Amino acid sequence: MKRKGILIIVSGFSGAGKGTLVKKLLEEYDGYALSISATTRKPRPGEEDGREYFFLEKEQFERRIAEDGLIEYACYCENYYGTPREYVERQLAEGKDVILEIEIQGALKVKKQYEDALLLFVMPPSAGELKRRLVGRGTETGEVIAKRMCRAAEEAEGIEAYDYIVVNDDLQTCVRQLHEIITAAHHTPLRNKEFIENIRTELEGEK
């Protein structure tokens, strides 16, 4: 039975460590592909276009929207973020599990298009730890950090829409848990409809 790729959505509060977690997952396990999002925000120090994000001007991004070239898009802290469609669908067809690291608004839009998408929400062990991590980045002003904490409080209201939560306390433990959840998800009836129908047909033939 050919393994089909799962579309995996990883969301979490800014500062919860979802980017580090996904990077480690890709390093340690085979069979994953990371979807690179497009954004209108400016690059942070060390980020490169086409590696962390496709950095677009607002006009370019809006052209993509008009051409239906994005699976989803959302506005977050006054910037657009979106998922290019072509890359994702090609990787899924090749049997790769494609990871989308996107915000909660986008996650719910994707779930409407892909019913078998797996939604995972990365959480910090506490709100205090979340703030400590944001401050520790050293890349954002106090005003931006306050906005991100306020946004996290809003996002916390939508966590129940996800399939699983993963608490990012110890990174290595969290990576292992993430991989185990995804592996188990491959065996749900929802993601094996064709195989189930084939068995049913065969059983009918044996009557």
Side-chain angles (χ1 to χ4, degrees):
M1 183 176 70
K2 186 187 174 187
R3 170 183 157 125
K4 290 184 178 178
I6 295 177
L7 189 56
I8 302 153
I9 297 164
V10 178
S11 303
F13 309 132
S14 180
K18 57 188 179 297
T20 304
L21 184 60
V22 167
K23 184 180 177 185
K24 196 78 174 165
L25 182 73
L26 292 165
E27 286 173 1
E28 297 200 2
Y29 298 98
D30 295 327
Y32 293 107
L34 178 64
S35 173
I36 301 170
S37 295
T39 183
T40 56
R41 81 156 168 77
K42 299 302 178 190
R44 290 185 185 134
E47 290 183 334
E48 289 182 18
D49 183 54
R51 189 179 67 186
E52 283 81 13
Y53 287 94
F54 295 112
F55 294 100
L56 305 177
E57 295 299 322
K58 187 180 178 184
E59 294 75 17
Q60 292 175 300
F61 197 101
E62 289 176 346
R63 196 177 311 127
R64 294 272 187 103
I65 295 171
E67 295 169 353
D68 197 32
L70 301 168
I71 291 175
E72 58 76 35
Y73 66 93
C75 195
Y76 175 71
C77 290
E78 299 172 9
N79 285 301
Y80 278 126
Y81 293 81
T83 302
R85 185 181 300 279
E86 183 189 357
Y87 174 85
V88 169
E89 295 191 344
R90 187 173 69 246
Q91 295 293 321
L92 288 173
E94 291 174 5
K96 293 278 185 75
D97 291 333
V98 180
I99 300 173
L100 307 187
E101 188 189 321
I102 57 178
E103 305 304 325
I104 195 165
Q105 293 169 271
L108 299 180
K109 289 176 185 173
V110 172
K111 187 70 174 177
K112 287 180 181 176
Q113 295 179 61
Y114 299 86
E115 68 164 354
D116 60 349
L118 178 65
L119 274 59
L120 307 172
F121 199 94
V122 179
M123 301 183 71
S126 68
E129 175 62 15
L130 180 67
K131 188 170 184 179
R132 191 191 68 77
R133 291 177 187 177
L134 285 169
V135 172
R137 279 179 179 174
T139 58
E140 285 145 348
T141 64
E143 185 184 352
V144 171
I145 289 169
K147 274 187 183 178
R148 293 194 185 280
M149 290 299 291
C150 186
R151 174 69 173 175
E154 293 170 6
E155 288 178 327
E157 297 301 317
I159 293 171
E160 287 84 356
Y162 283 72
D163 297 305
Y164 294 92
I165 62 166
V166 185
V167 178
N168 186 14
D169 191 357
D170 176 74
L171 179 63
Q172 204 59 47
T173 301
C174 196
V175 170
R176 188 177 69 250
Q177 287 175 344
L178 201 60
H179 179 66
E180 288 171 354
I181 289 168
I182 295 164
T183 301
H186 272 279
H187 301 284
T188 61
L190 177 65
R191 298 180 180 93
N192 291 277
K193 288 180 178 178
E194 189 179 335
F195 174 68
I196 293 167
E197 285 305 317
N198 287 342
I199 292 290
R200 283 177 175 152
T201 302
E202 289 171 11
L203 289 169
E204 285 296 321
E206 292 294 328
K207 282 184 178 178

